[in-house]
Amino acid sequence: MSNNNVTPSEFFNPDTQVAHLGLIACPGAEELANLIDGHLRTWAREVGIEKDTFIIECACPRFQSGDAKGLVKESVRGDDIFFVVDPGNYSLTYNLFGQENHMSPDDHFANLKRLIQAVAGRAHRMTVIMPSLYGGRQHRRVARESLDCAVALQELQSMGVQNIITFDAHDPRLMNAVPLMSFDNVMPTYQVLKTLLRHMPELSFDKDSFIVISPDEGAINRNMYFSSVLGCNLGMFYKRRDYTRVVNGRNPIVAHEYLGESVEGKTVFIADDIIASGESMLEVAGELKKRGAKHIIANATFPLFTSGVDKFDEAVSAGILTAVLGTNLTYRKQELLSRPWYFDVDCSKYCAYFVAAINHEMSVSSICDPIKKIEALLKNR
């Protein structure tokens, strides 16, 4: 299947549909699930299928003791069920003995398992759309440490989940924990470039005026892909750390060292998987500005901004940063969405392609590799 020429008739052909399609939005993932549902309903309507919603109502109520349960409020027997979960949505709260608690990734993962239990094995098949992979940052063992993500994936497999769809995994090799499960790690490269050009149509990707920089050695692959499809050069920073100390669970960064050609007078694009506190991104941007970069554009698949946006406001005001792009694959603060320098990247249609394709046993290879769409985007701009 080519995702460049998909027609609604391909996505809603009863002869190829595995089973009736159902979406279950775990608490905190309603925004993304509703957007996915909107695309599915549009495609269905174009072939004469009127559907109010594909979303199956659910809940995860808590008892006064703090215990919880999962509740699916419609029959799902024989359905092809897609769970949408956002482990990073800390905005949800619950009361425990008079105290308000914000939900952690552990709470969201527990809710996912509760709803899978509520389905009780009656679904035809279960797929989990987890854009931000639970426990994904703890991807390897150093000394006596847990491997949360690997254990979580094995737990989902034992509960009957057959497909996992995630975005920009911190380390895609985590799929090795479940070698017999379908595991798709998706990069929203096309969606990012489309959003960037919509906001900055004058941008030139010529080698003499544009360069892609990896903020560290761990992000080199995603930045190499951007530089390859754009036909521009690539540079990188590496983090020099103090391995004699541990601060907040990791060795602190002493300095960012740059490897690459001159950035003087150029627009620099930096891509990473997560902006947490944002300190590393701002330090890299500051180093590039010292080297004469004209504009600096930061991109993160998951714009968490755990320390707020004030430092980024200051960086933009000081001319260090020009813009920041992030996706809607996780919860974003309203204060972030209101910033003129922040460009929100909608990936819901991309998710909907996967849902429809899997529901019809179509290949997702062309969806995972959007090179043709990127080429058309650059050609027709």
Side-chain angles (χ1 to χ4, degrees):
M1 180 193 68
S2 169
N3 64 322
N4 296 309
N5 299 300
V6 167
T7 61
S9 59
E10 289 182 88
F11 277 167
F12 288 95
N13 184 344
D15 295 329
T16 58
Q17 191 174 27
V18 169
H20 290 300
L21 191 159
L23 293 174
I24 293 181
C26 296
E30 293 88 353
E31 178 190 356
L32 180 59
N34 285 330
L35 290 172
I36 294 171
D37 181 55
H39 294 296
L40 296 174
R41 286 187 288 108
T42 297
W43 294 336
R45 190 162 53 248
E46 289 178 16
V47 293
I49 300 173
E50 290 296 332
K51 185 81 174 177
D52 291 336
T53 183
F54 288 96
I55 294 177
I56 295 169
E57 192 176 354
C58 69
C60 290
R62 287 186 181 269
F63 300 98
Q64 290 182 343
S65 61
D67 295 326
K69 66 178 179 180
L71 176 63
V72 175
K73 299 183 180 181
E74 300 175 30
S75 172
V76 295
R77 188 178 296 276
D79 289 353
D80 197 11
I81 297 298
F82 293 80
F83 296 90
V84 185
V85 58
D86 179 10
N89 191 341
Y90 59 89
S91 69
L92 269 66
T93 60
Y94 62 92
N95 289 317
L96 180 63
F97 292 90
Q99 300 293 321
E100 186 179 54
N101 293 276
H102 284 264
M103 288 184 62
S104 70
D106 295 339
D107 293 314
H108 286 290
F109 186 66
N111 277 346
L112 170 63
K113 292 189 292 182
R114 290 179 179 116
L115 292 171
I116 291 173
Q117 293 174 64
V119 168
R122 294 185 176 90
H124 175 80
R125 181 173 59 186
M126 294 186 293
T127 297
V128 171
I129 302 173
M130 186 188 294
S132 175
L133 201 57
Y134 169 75
R137 301 198 78 181
Q138 179 56 19
H139 58 103
R140 64 175 181 266
R141 174 173 283 159
V142 179
R144 292 172 295 279
E145 295 182 336
S146 62
L147 291 172
D148 296 41
C149 188
V151 171
L153 291 174
Q154 291 178 350
E155 195 170 4
L156 292 178
Q157 185 177 44
S158 70
M159 296 180 78
V161 173
Q162 292 177 261
N163 305 301
I164 297 283
I165 300 170
T166 192
F167 280 76
D168 202 353
H170 193 65
D171 189 340
R173 290 174 296 182
L174 284 164
M175 71 177 70
N176 293 337
V178 283
L180 300 182
M181 182 191 288
S182 172
F183 184 104
D184 288 300
N185 178 44
V186 188
M187 301 296 291
T189 311
Y190 168 72
Q191 287 72 21
V192 168
L193 291 176
K194 184 178 180 181
T195 301
L196 179 60
L197 289 175
R198 184 170 67 246
H199 288 276
M200 303 177 70
E202 75 287 353
L203 206 58
S204 170
F205 298 124
D206 183 79
K207 289 182 179 180
D208 295 329
S209 59
F210 190 91
I211 186 171
V212 174
I213 302 291
S214 177
D216 54 42
E217 57 274 26
I220 191 69
N221 285 336
R222 69 173 60 83
N223 285 279
M224 191 181 299
Y225 188 85
F226 272 107
S227 68
S228 297
V229 298
L230 295 175
C232 61
N233 292 327
L234 175 71
M236 71 167 287
F237 280 86
Y238 71 90
K239 296 174 180 176
R240 187 149 51 85
R241 295 182 180 271
D242 180 359
Y243 288 98
T244 65
R245 297 185 298 136
V246 175
V247 179
N248 293 328
R250 57 172 50 194
N251 302 107
I253 299 168
V254 176
H256 289 86
E257 304 289 354
Y258 177 63
L259 299 173
E261 65 180 35
S262 172
V263 299
E264 188 170 358
K266 295 180 181 179
T267 295
V268 179
F269 181 84
I270 313 167
D272 211 347
D273 57 343
I274 294 172
I275 290 180
S277 67
E279 289 181 4
S280 291
M281 184 66 78
L282 291 174
E283 286 178 18
V284 167
E287 289 295 323
L288 289 168
K289 202 65 181 178
K290 290 177 185 177
R291 290 169 169 80
K294 184 179 180 181
H295 297 294
I296 299 172
I297 302 166
N299 165 237
T301 306
F302 304 107
L304 306 183
F305 287 84
T306 57
S307 297
V309 299
D310 291 345
K311 291 182 179 179
F312 281 80
D313 283 336
E314 293 170 5
V316 172
S317 297
I320 296 172
L321 268 180
T322 301
V324 178
L325 292 96
T327 74
N328 64 343
L329 293 168
T330 191
Y331 171 76
R332 290 96 60 230
K333 298 179 180 181
Q334 187 56 45
E335 63 175 343
L336 173 65
L337 295 174
S338 66
R339 290 305 193 268
W341 47 261
Y342 177 74
F343 305 155
D344 203 41
V345 180
D346 184 7
C347 293
S348 60
K349 191 173 185 179
Y350 204 10
C351 294
Y353 275 130
F354 276 91
V355 172
I358 291 172
N359 182 239
H360 287 74
E361 294 288 14
M362 294 179 176
S363 170
V364 298
S365 298
S366 60
I367 303 177
C368 292
D369 183 12
I371 187 63
K372 291 183 179 178
K373 294 192 76 173
I374 293 173
E375 289 175 350
L377 175 69
L378 299 177
K379 182 180 179 180
N380 299 325
R381 49 178 305 206

